Structures are given as structure tokens and as C-alpha cells.
Amino acid sequence: MATPIKPRDRILVALDTPDVDKATALSRQLAGKVGGIKLGLEFFNANGPQGVRQVVRAGPEETPRGEPAKQQRLFLDLKYHDIPNTVAGAVRSAMPLAPSILNVHAVGGPAMMKAALDAANFEAEQLGIVRPMLIAVTVLTSMDDGDLDATGQIGPARDQVLRLAALTQKAGLDGVVCSSHEIAALRAECGPDFKLIVPGIRPAGAALGDQKRVMTPAQAIAEGADFLVIGRPITGAEDPAAAAEAIAADVDAG
């Protein structure tokens, strides 16, 4: 029987800042309180691989038993979208950072996604590390049906998400990034082992910010999400660690 995932381990905190010192401080505060951290384009463009290494090593120096602490689990959120050869090269270049999760855009197509997967498998074997979970972005949670129409994509958003998820699964990737409102449909279409990473999570009463398709942590877990990406409700709190613990309790309720 598989070991149940602890509620806190389902939470990936989005450190959406270009400030390496701020990101490092937040990573240190949240070590052991959440399942990992997400670093994206804003941070990576400002600080590069060395900045990523600094932040993921920002946990406590030792565990209570005096053992070396593990580095933070890393979701490297760079959303690769280019021709297959370029994306494969980008994936190979990212692998020395040993991310736990890496992503591409599903709209890049099956050839691009397969090239990314092949590159990740090959480079992981060369480096002697575990291949990261490779997932694809479907429809950004900042977009709604009107936004899809404006870009010429076939809506509604839910149907586009299902189309892109099916394409992702056929390409052999591990799962997708989706909004909470597509979780139940994706579980039905793609099965229980297809990983669903869900941003746009807001605790009850929290400001929506730039997100349009949102849900509370408990609701998202009850629907079938595997991991929740949460940023400002934790990083913008007066006490980020306490906020993370409160959200983990909400996840447990789900």
C-alpha cells in the first residue's frame, strides 16, 4: 500500500519574486512546513541557476537528529514552449538543478513534449538522478473563455484543457497544470495516476489577485488535485510559516 501524502507535502509555495535574498528567507521560513517551492521565470531571469541553488539549499542546516537537511523540493516553473530541439536543449540544461517538477506548454505539441521527455530521461540517467515529474501547462488560470476567444483558441476553457491534457498523456508526460475547475473532468478522462498540479488556490476570504478560476485548498483536494501551488496567501502573510500550517490544516480537511 502506498504511503499517504501528508497534507503539507501537497503544498508548493510560489516564490514569485526576483529578489534572491527574499526568496531565500522565505524558503528558510517554510522549510518543513510545505512540500516544496516553485521558482519561475521572474526569479530565474533575475538570478539564474546559481540563485535557484541558493534558495533550495536555504532550509535548516541540520535536522533535529543532527542529520544534514534535505534541500527543498523544487518545481522549476519555466513553461518551455519552442521548437522540439530547443526545448530538449533547455530541459537538458535545467537537469543539473535536480528539479522535482519541470514543465512545458502543451500547446507546443506532441513532438515538442516527447522531445522534452526524451531529454529529461537521458540527462537524468547521465547525471544519476531521478527524472523530474514532467508536466504540461494547459490553459493559464489567469485566462477565461473570453481570453481564449481573443487568441483564436477553441473554447470554452474546460474543453481546451481536456484536449491538451489528452495530448499530454498521449505524449507520455506525467500530468498537467490545470485550474481547480477542471480537476474532476480530468480525473474522469485521464485516470487516477495522471498528476494534477493546481495553481489559483485561494483560502476562503483571500483576494483573487490576477486569478480568474480559483478554489479553496480543501475543495481542490476533495476534487482530486495532487499538488496545490499557492503564492501570495502564504508569501504575503505576516507569518508565512503560520499561514502555510493553516492551509495544510485546510488541505487535511479536504
Side-chain angles (χ1 to χ4, degrees):
M1 178 182 291
T3 303
I5 301 175
K6 295 178 181 179
R8 70 184 184 194
D9 290 338
R10 294 185 182 273
I11 300 171
L12 304 173
V13 179
L15 303 183
D16 294 327
T17 174
D19 188 328
V20 68
D21 292 331
K22 180 178 179 180
T24 299
L26 282 166
S27 180
R28 184 172 292 117
Q29 290 178 65
L30 295 168
K33 307 292 185 184
V34 296
I37 57 174
K38 180 183 80 71
L39 294 173
L41 287 167
E42 183 180 14
F43 181 89
F44 194 83
N45 287 342
N47 303 289
Q50 188 52 45
V52 173
R53 291 187 179 96
Q54 178 176 328
V55 173
V56 298
R57 293 172 181 163
E61 293 183 0
E62 291 185 342
T63 65
R65 296 181 180 180
E67 302 165 345
K70 296 179 181 179
Q71 72 174 32
Q72 287 273 42
R73 185 178 193 177
L74 171 65
F75 174 8
L76 192 59
D77 179 26
L78 300 181
K79 299 184 181 73
Y80 298 129
H81 182 191
D82 212 309
I83 63 172
N85 187 61
T86 298
V87 169
V91 169
R92 286 193 296 271
S93 295
M95 290 297 288
L97 294 172
S100 297
I101 305 173
L102 191 63
N103 62 0
V104 300
H105 266 291
V107 291
M112 188 205 77
M113 288 192 281
K114 289 176 182 176
L117 181 60
D118 288 345
N121 280 324
F122 177 82
E123 202 65 21
E125 184 175 353
Q126 295 300 304
L127 294 171
I129 62 175
V130 176
R131 176 178 68 78
M133 184 189 304
L134 191 61
I135 61 175
V137 177
T138 52
V139 175
L140 296 171
T141 54
S142 61
M143 299 181 74
D144 58 18
D145 293 350
D147 296 314
L148 285 180
D149 289 342
T151 61
Q153 298 184 61
I154 303 172
R158 177 184 177 278
D159 292 349
Q160 177 71 343
V161 168
L162 291 174
R163 278 192 295 269
L164 292 174
L167 194 67
T168 300
Q169 190 171 42
K170 188 175 181 180
L173 273 62
D174 300 297
V176 293
V177 179
C178 65
S179 95
S180 51
H181 293 273
E182 291 90 41
I183 296 171
L186 285 169
R187 274 281 165 255
E189 291 292 325
C190 299
D193 298 325
F194 195 63
K195 301 301 182 185
L196 303 181
I197 290 80
V198 184
I201 298 298
R202 292 289 185 270
L208 298 184
D210 58 1
Q211 303 294 322
K212 295 181 179 177
R213 294 169 12 252
V214 302
M215 191 174 281
T216 69
Q219 289 170 333
I221 292 301
E223 288 286 314
D226 291 294
F227 297 98
L228 309 178
V229 178
I230 304 173
R232 283 162 284 189
I234 293 176
T235 61
E238 185 174 343
D239 185 341
E245 289 179 332
I247 291 172
D250 192 29
V251 169
D252 194 25

